Amino acid sequence: MKIRLGLIVLVLAAMIAAPRSSAADSSAPRVALVIGNSKYPDADKPLSQAVGDAREFADELKRAGFDAELGEDLSGDAMRRAFDRLYQRTKPGAAALVFFSGFGIQSGRQSYLIPVDAQIWTEPDVRRDGIALESVLNELNSRGASVKIALVDASRRNPFERRFRSFSAGLAPVIAPSGSLVMYAAALSAVVTDNDSAHSPFVSALREEIRVPGLSAEEALNRTRTAVARASRGEQVPWISSSLAEDFIFVPGAATAEKPTAEKPTAATAPVEAAKPAPAPLEAKPPQTTEAKPASGDDDKLVLALASDPTVKSLTAQIVDKPSDGNAYYRRGQVYASKGAYRSAIKDFDEAIRLNGKDVEAYNNRCWVRTVIGELEPALADCDQALLLRPNFVDALDSRGLLHLKSGRDKAAIADFDAALKINPRLTSSLYGRGLARKRIGLASEGEIDLTTAKKLDPNISKEFAGYGVK
């Protein structure tokens, strides 16, 4: 499953018109840990920007009302103690933020933040000495944080990479709990080189955007990505993943005017709210409360309500300028789906597939959306096609598992969830779905183990599945 939606359609519509929640109005506690690591003994020289960026970013967060702790050139023990203090400061309902600038390494499809004293010669050393970003976000979630934000400037060519053959450059996608917003300074598996300036272009742009009054965190990060991509002429494009169920605003105040765009789409062609990653798909998919298909009128209202979003405007402008841009249709479809405008999402995925009959991501996401709204047979055809195009595609296995679960084909659901978990043992939706299916066929103890494990990874997973109409 690709897009996890955290709210039902009716609640979404109400939220659009309602006042901001506690996270948005800054009444909830705000805690942060900011780390700048520059002096790695294995590197040829200290990183020129990490510590200075961390200091200034910590100051920025304090001005925004965060209780921010700053750490510089931290050893493994010091980093673990700093994270423990962050966990202790994270109370239920809090917004918790982690900023890291230094070296990062991906291993086993996870991203690790590297302390300055790490002794890395083999891949197991990464997992021993590094701090797994997923583990940090999951721990913050277990402490009750309603908003988890991770900003990572660690997509650098590091000094350890030639020491083991299985090394992969850059950072890996993160499987984060609901209510998370993650941003990397560069695209997945990509690296950038520090320039001679005192501050990285990523952090400079980020600081500028988060101080804009009334601007949501998703919008601030999307503007940051656009600014960095523009400044680097497309050589550095930050990566974003979001499963926020509500807007979070760094600096409360009246929303500011949008930055001008080259081409303004008309109201008839503009669509949704999208502060989601353009280069990579969203990590999560969330719920609908019933099997009933959403009325087209509700869908139209959502599209109109979200029409002013700058990301949607940009995607719509791309489509107007180049109607054959299947990727723009696909990305806009993701946004529609993430906000509950399912019919419009399907239309965009239809176009993406018409333009590229081998667009496996579009087939998978159309399968998931159709599953959510109860169009199960067309959904099955989409999932089957996605798996024909890309065998063992974990997202399509997960989507088809949900489809079988909703159809009452419990053994088929277990087979698909088993296959997905063999590829990614931490895929919470497959764990929970398999637990439900196992209990249905009488494997009560095995099912309970799956459900308990999934809930530890994501305490909101049961609400998500209830939203799918599956219990």
Side-chain angles (χ1 to χ4, degrees), residues 344-403:
S344 295
I346 289 173
K347 288 178 183 178
D348 274 352
F349 293 142
D350 287 345
E351 278 301 299
I353 291 167
R354 184 184 68 80
L355 292 164
N356 177 8
K358 294 184 178 181
D359 191 336
V360 63
E361 302 280 359
Y363 277 113
N364 173 58
N365 283 345
R366 192 171 68 177
C367 168
W368 181 82
V369 172
R370 283 174 163 170
T371 298
V372 169
I373 65 176
E375 295 181 352
L376 300 182
E377 290 310 311
L380 181 58
D382 281 340
C383 271
D384 287 346
Q385 183 63 24
L387 287 163
L388 181 65
L389 291 167
R390 188 186 297 174
N392 297 320
F393 180 22
V394 65
D395 294 319
L397 289 166
D398 189 48
S399 295
R400 195 171 68 179
L402 174 64
L403 189 157

Side-chain angles (χ1 to χ4, degrees), residues 68-126:
E69 177 182 342
L70 172 64
E72 299 178 13
D73 291 323
L74 298 185
S75 66
D77 286 343
M79 277 183 67
R80 290 179 181 86
R81 289 195 299 270
F83 277 111
D84 284 341
R85 290 192 294 272
L86 176 66
Y87 303 148
Q88 291 166 10
R89 291 186 290 135
T90 302
K91 307 302 179 186
L97 183 148
V98 173
F99 172 91
F100 178 82
S101 182
F103 286 129
I105 298 178
Q106 67 163 295
S107 173
R109 297 194 180 99
Q110 287 203 55
S111 293
Y112 291 83
L113 313 179
I114 305 302
V116 294
D117 65 345
Q119 298 295 309
I120 296 175
W121 292 93
T122 65
E123 190 160 10
D125 295 339
V126 178

Side-chain angles (χ1 to χ4, degrees), residues 104 106 156-158 161 166-172 187-191:
Q106 67 163 295
R156 297 178 168 93
R157 185 73 67 190
N158 68 70
E161 63 187 59
S166 57
F167 171 81
S168 297
L171 300 178
L188 298 176
S189 299
V191 294

Side-chain angles (χ1 to χ4, degrees), residues 1 3-7 138 141 148 175-179 243 283-288 368 398 402 405 417 421 426-436 447-471:
M1 290 178 270
I3 311 172
R4 188 168 296 159
L5 308 153
L7 299 173
N138 284 325
N141 193 59
K148 285 80 60 179
I175 301 173
S178 297
S243 61
E283 313 269 274
K285 281 184 207 165
Q288 248 278 97
W368 181 82
D398 189 48
L402 174 64
L405 198 62
F417 290 138
L421 290 165
R426 295 170 57 85
L427 189 55
T428 312
S429 51
S430 283
L431 267 174
Y432 194 84
R434 187 177 69 178
L436 292 176
E448 198 57 46
I449 290 171
D450 279 344
L451 296 177
T452 301
T453 304
K455 288 175 184 177
K456 285 182 179 178
L457 291 170
D458 183 357
N460 297 314
I461 191 68
S462 58
K463 292 181 182 179
E464 177 183 323
F465 270 73
Y468 298 141
V470 178
K471 297 181 181 179

